[in-house]
């Protein structure tokens, strides 16, 4: 039997087809095998005799009868399937020789444990040795929170080899917004974050380090561009931050202090937010003052937000306000209806939704707001007071890759619609509901929008439009400006 990687791939595909009730023809088997071989980076097989030989090898090796069944309508068509449809090569017990081979392989791989690129070996070592326990055949004693159907797994071996060979790559990536990008990169690192894998690589044009989700990579090709080794210490790079986000809010580590109540402590003590986490002081009410030192990224913001009110960030002030604003915007979505950035039609603002937050208000006072297209924004108390006093007559919001659908008109392909001057067209809102995020009780004001337009940021010295890269795409730095009119409603 051909003991090679190509055969192993074919054997797995054929096993899946043979155990079905219908079975499969040799032509179907050939097509399925070649599809799998292409994904694995192997050469395709061209002869049906190769498939027939594979079937004979499977039958002999596993002592299983493979029956031939003729099609009921066309007797020339022959389907192959296991006589015992409950059989699968993945269900059989490992032989003593198999176990010895796997143990030897894991012993060899364990020599690479501790190397950053090979962190997966630690998990694989425990996973395999769990199944190799002779005293508990078939029993799994360790659970892994992984997704076996994760599409990015097929690229791990290929990218690992290219990184080891210091090979420049041309990638094709299909992003979430259905935009296809084709960056040429210098690959440096494979990083797992959450349940997904990312290729950490530098763009050969901009030199920017970025993370490319493996499940979004559709093709990988070697490039003739000379390879440039990384100038960064990637071990240190990732030890100072969470996740793989490249557009960090701060470029240097900052110390973050926060209070955790007793519920949050149940998770934070056995599983710290970051390896720098330490307890500063235990308070009389049971809460604990903690701190971490980290470059905080979007992933870290989400980590804090998932604890809701069980964690209170104390410093730095910018982070405290950012998280408060995220919580307030979440409140907007739950109280006032669905987030208008996530659906095609805007949810109108009515008395029922408003009464969830302020049930004591007379719904008759809100009739003038019903049916209006309202944008919900978080704001601090000082700025809200300036709006109410008439001192502040404009509200500006930066457009980012995370919120552009909230502010700008998009075409059917998800691109920004531009006017005759090349500026982005702003979504027309009738009013803005401002809600404070830095007061104990939220204060609100609904203000009419007189006019709205977008404005691109330019470099004061060169006069050039400022651009930046996010997840391999070029973005223009811009903001939307809302000219404010009369105060329609105030709530305290």
């Amino acid at each position: 039997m051909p003991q090679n990687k190509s055969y192993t791939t074919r054997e797995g595909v054929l096993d899946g087809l043979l155990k079905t009730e219908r079975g499969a023809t040799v032509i179907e088997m050939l097509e399925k095998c070649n599809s799998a071989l292409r994904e694995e980076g192997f050469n395709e097989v061209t002869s049906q005799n190769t498939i027939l030989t594979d079937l004979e090898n499977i039958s002999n090796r596993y002592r299983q009868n493979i029956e031939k069944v003729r099609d009921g309508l066309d007797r020339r068509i022959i389907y192959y399937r296991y006589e015992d449809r409950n059989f699968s090569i993945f269900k059989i017990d490992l032989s003593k020789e198999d176990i010895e081979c796997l143990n030897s392989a894991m012993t060899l791989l364990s020599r690479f444990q501790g190397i950053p690129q090979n962190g997966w070996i630690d998990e694989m070592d425990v996973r395999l040795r769990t199944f190799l326990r002779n005293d508990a055949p078939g029993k799994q004693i360790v659970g892994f929170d992984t997704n076996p159907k994760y599409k990015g797994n097929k690229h791990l071996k290929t990218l690992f080899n290219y990184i080891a060979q210091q090979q420049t790559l041309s990638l094709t990536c299909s992003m979430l917004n259905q935009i296809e990008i084709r960056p040429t990169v210098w690959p440096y690192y494979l990083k797992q974050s959450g349940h997904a894998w990312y290729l950490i690589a530098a763009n050969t044009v901009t030199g920017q380090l970025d993370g490319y989700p493996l499940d979004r990579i559709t093709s990988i090709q070697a490039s003739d561009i000379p390879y440039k080794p990384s100038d960064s210490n990637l071990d240190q790079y990732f030890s100072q931050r969470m996740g793989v986000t490249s557009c960090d809010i701060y470029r240097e580590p900052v110390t973050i202090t926060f209070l955790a109540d007793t519920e949050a402590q149940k998770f934070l003590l056995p599983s710290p937010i970051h390896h720098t986490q330490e307890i500063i002081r235990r308070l009389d009410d049971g809460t604990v003052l903690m701190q971490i030192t980290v470059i905080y990224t979007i992933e870290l913001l989400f980590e804090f937000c998932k604890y809701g009110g069980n964690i209170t960030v104390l410093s730095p002030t910018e982070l405290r306000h950012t998280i408060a604003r995220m919580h307030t915007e979440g409140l907007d979505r739950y109280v006032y209806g669905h987030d208008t950035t996530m659906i095609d039609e805007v949810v109108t603002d009515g008395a029922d939704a408003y009464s969830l937050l302020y049930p004591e208000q007379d719904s008759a006072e809100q009739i003038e707001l019903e049916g209006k297209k309202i944008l919900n924004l978080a704001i601090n108390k000082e700025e809200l007071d300036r709006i109410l006093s008439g001192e502040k007559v404009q509200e500006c919001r930066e457009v980012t890759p995370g919120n552009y659908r909230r502010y700008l008109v998009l075409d059917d392909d998800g691109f920004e619609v531009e006017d005759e001057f090349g500026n982005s067209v702003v979504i027309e809102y009738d009013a803005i509901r401002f809600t404070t995020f830095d007061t104990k009780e939220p204060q609100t004001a609904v203000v009419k929008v007189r006019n709205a337009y977008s404005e691109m940021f330019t470099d004061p010295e060169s006069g050039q439009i400022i651009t930046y890269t996010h997840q391999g795409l070029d973005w223009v730095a811009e903001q939307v400006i809302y000219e404010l009119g009369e105060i329609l409603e105030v709530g305290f």
Side-chain angles (χ1 to χ4, degrees):
M1 180 178 61
Q3 295 293 333
N4 55 56
K5 296 178 180 178
S6 173
Y7 173 77
T8 302
T9 299
R10 300 198 309 270
E11 185 183 57
V13 173
L14 295 175
D15 177 73
L17 296 173
L18 291 170
K19 66 183 181 182
T20 61
E21 184 64 31
R22 171 182 176 271
T25 66
V26 174
I27 295 177
E28 291 172 340
M29 293 178 180
L30 183 65
E31 292 175 350
K32 292 288 186 180
C33 285
N34 282 335
S35 177
L37 290 172
R38 286 194 298 270
E39 289 187 2
E40 294 287 339
F42 298 124
N43 293 329
E44 299 181 15
V45 295
T46 58
S47 173
Q48 295 184 25
N49 287 333
T50 302
I51 301 300
L52 292 172
T53 302
D54 290 343
L55 294 179
E56 183 179 354
N57 289 331
I58 291 175
S59 178
N60 293 335
R61 182 183 184 187
Y62 301 106
R63 297 181 176 85
Q64 289 296 314
N65 291 329
I66 297 177
E67 59 183 6
K68 301 177 183 180
V69 180
R70 294 189 179 275
D71 187 87
L73 298 177
D74 189 343
R75 303 294 292 175
R76 294 171 298 177
I77 300 176
I78 300 176
Y79 300 100
Y80 293 82
R81 66 186 185 185
Y82 287 134
E83 187 176 283
D84 179 6
R85 242 89 69 212
N86 292 321
F87 173 79
S88 170
I89 63 175
F90 299 104
K91 291 181 180 180
I92 62 175
D93 294 332
L94 295 175
S95 67
K96 182 178 180 181
E97 291 75 15
D98 291 331
I99 294 175
E100 290 177 354
C101 289
L102 284 173
N103 274 320
S104 298
M106 290 313 304
T107 299
L108 177 62
L109 285 175
S110 66
R111 297 173 182 265
F112 296 92
Q113 288 175 326
I115 298 177
Q117 291 93 330
N118 299 339
W120 57 272
I121 293 178
D122 299 311
E123 176 181 326
M124 185 60 69
D125 182 52
V126 177
R127 185 189 296 272
L128 280 178
R129 294 189 190 279
T130 296
F131 288 106
L132 297 181
R133 286 173 53 90
N134 293 327
D135 58 333
K139 289 187 177 181
Q140 186 173 353
I141 59 175
V142 178
F144 292 88
D145 192 11
T146 57
N147 180 8
K149 297 183 179 180
Y150 174 62
K151 294 190 296 183
N153 288 337
K154 65 183 181 181
H155 296 307
L156 276 174
K157 180 175 61 179
T158 301
L159 290 172
F160 180 90
N161 291 333
Y162 277 135
I163 294 173
Q165 298 165 10
Q166 296 192 335
Q167 172 66 56
T168 305
L169 300 176
S170 294
L171 307 177
T172 302
C173 305
S174 178
M175 308 310 288
L176 289 174
N177 52 11
Q178 298 182 339
I179 296 176
E180 191 172 76
I181 62 174
R182 292 181 172 84
T184 301
V185 300
W186 296 305
Y188 298 138
Y189 205 86
L190 288 169
K191 172 69 175 176
Q192 189 177 29
S193 180
H195 302 304
W197 282 91
Y198 295 81
L199 169 67
I200 308 303
N203 190 292
T204 58
V205 177
T206 64
Q208 178 173 324
L209 202 65
D210 212 340
Y212 298 89
L214 264 60
D215 63 326
R216 291 289 161 185
I217 298 177
T218 56
S219 72
I220 304 170
Q221 299 292 332
S223 170
D224 295 332
I225 296 177
Y227 186 84
K228 180 182 178 181
S230 175
D231 297 329
S232 304
N233 183 333
L234 294 180
D235 294 340
Q236 182 180 12
Y237 181 90
F238 286 110
S239 70
Q240 295 177 335
R241 73 199 68 212
M242 289 187 63
V244 296
T245 304
S246 60
C247 49
D248 303 314
I249 298 172
Y250 289 133
R251 294 297 179 180
E252 297 297 329
V254 294
T255 298
I256 301 170
T257 59
F258 58 94
L259 288 172
D261 66 13
T262 53
E263 286 300 314
Q265 292 171 43
K266 295 177 182 178
F267 302 94
L268 290 174
L269 296 182
S271 180
I273 289 179
H274 192 255
H275 66 83
T276 59
Q277 178 178 303
E278 59 179 327
I279 296 176
I280 305 302
R281 187 167 62 252
R282 295 184 181 274
L283 307 183
D284 294 339
D285 61 357
T287 58
V288 172
L289 179 64
M290 296 182 172
Q291 74 175 28
I292 59 175
T293 302
V294 64
I295 297 175
Y296 66 83
T297 58
I298 295 298
E299 288 92 336
L300 182 61
L301 292 176
F302 289 157
E303 183 69 18
F304 276 120
C305 286
K306 82 177 187 180
Y307 286 96
N310 299 111
I311 279 184
T312 304
V313 173
L314 303 179
S315 66
T317 303
E318 294 86 353
L319 176 60
R320 176 181 172 89
H321 286 177
T322 299
I323 294 177
R325 183 167 62 250
M326 292 173 72
H327 282 309
T328 303
E329 291 177 351
L331 179 66
D332 289 338
R333 298 185 183 104
Y334 280 101
V335 173
Y336 300 119
H338 297 289
D339 178 11
T340 59
T341 67
M342 302 303 293
I343 55 177
D344 294 331
E345 61 178 8
V346 176
V347 177
T348 58
D349 186 77
D352 291 339
Y354 190 80
S355 64
L356 290 174
L357 186 59
Y358 301 106
E360 72 280 0
Q361 295 287 337
D362 185 355
S363 61
E365 298 175 2
Q366 305 160 46
I367 293 178
E368 62 179 282
L369 295 181
E370 292 186 19
K372 290 187 180 298
K373 193 173 178 179
I374 295 180
L375 172 65
N376 292 298
L377 295 178
I379 196 170
N380 62 44
K381 178 65 165 59
E382 180 181 354
E383 292 299 306
L384 180 61
D385 289 342
R386 292 181 60 214
I387 292 175
L388 295 177
S389 67
E391 178 184 355
K392 182 181 174 73
V393 294
Q394 286 186 338
E395 177 65 19
C396 304
R397 293 293 167 122
E398 183 179 358
V399 179
T400 69
N403 67 17
Y404 70 101
R405 295 178 182 273
R406 185 180 181 89
Y407 299 120
L408 304 179
V409 177
L410 306 178
D411 61 21
D412 293 338
D413 296 322
F415 293 98
E416 299 175 14
V417 176
E418 297 181 348
D419 60 20
E420 63 271 25
F421 303 107
N423 296 314
S424 299
V425 177
V426 179
I427 295 175
E428 294 183 1
Y429 289 100
D430 298 308
I432 298 176
R433 173 180 283 105
F434 294 101
T435 305
T436 59
F437 61 81
D438 57 349
T439 53
K440 186 174 182 180
E441 296 294 335
Q443 301 178 11
T444 67
V446 181
V447 185
K448 184 178 180 179
V449 175
R450 294 175 48 246
N451 187 31
Y453 55 93
S454 68
E455 179 180 79
M456 290 178 282
F457 294 110
T458 57
D459 187 299
E461 296 183 359
S462 65
Q464 298 294 316
I465 295 174
I466 298 174
T467 61
Y468 60 96
T469 303
H470 174 74
Q471 293 187 348
L473 296 176
D474 293 329
W475 292 81
V476 174
E478 60 183 325
Q479 65 178 352
V480 292
I481 301 173
Y482 298 98
E483 295 181 355
L484 305 178
E486 61 183 295
I487 309 297
L488 301 180
E489 183 180 270
V490 177
F492 294 94

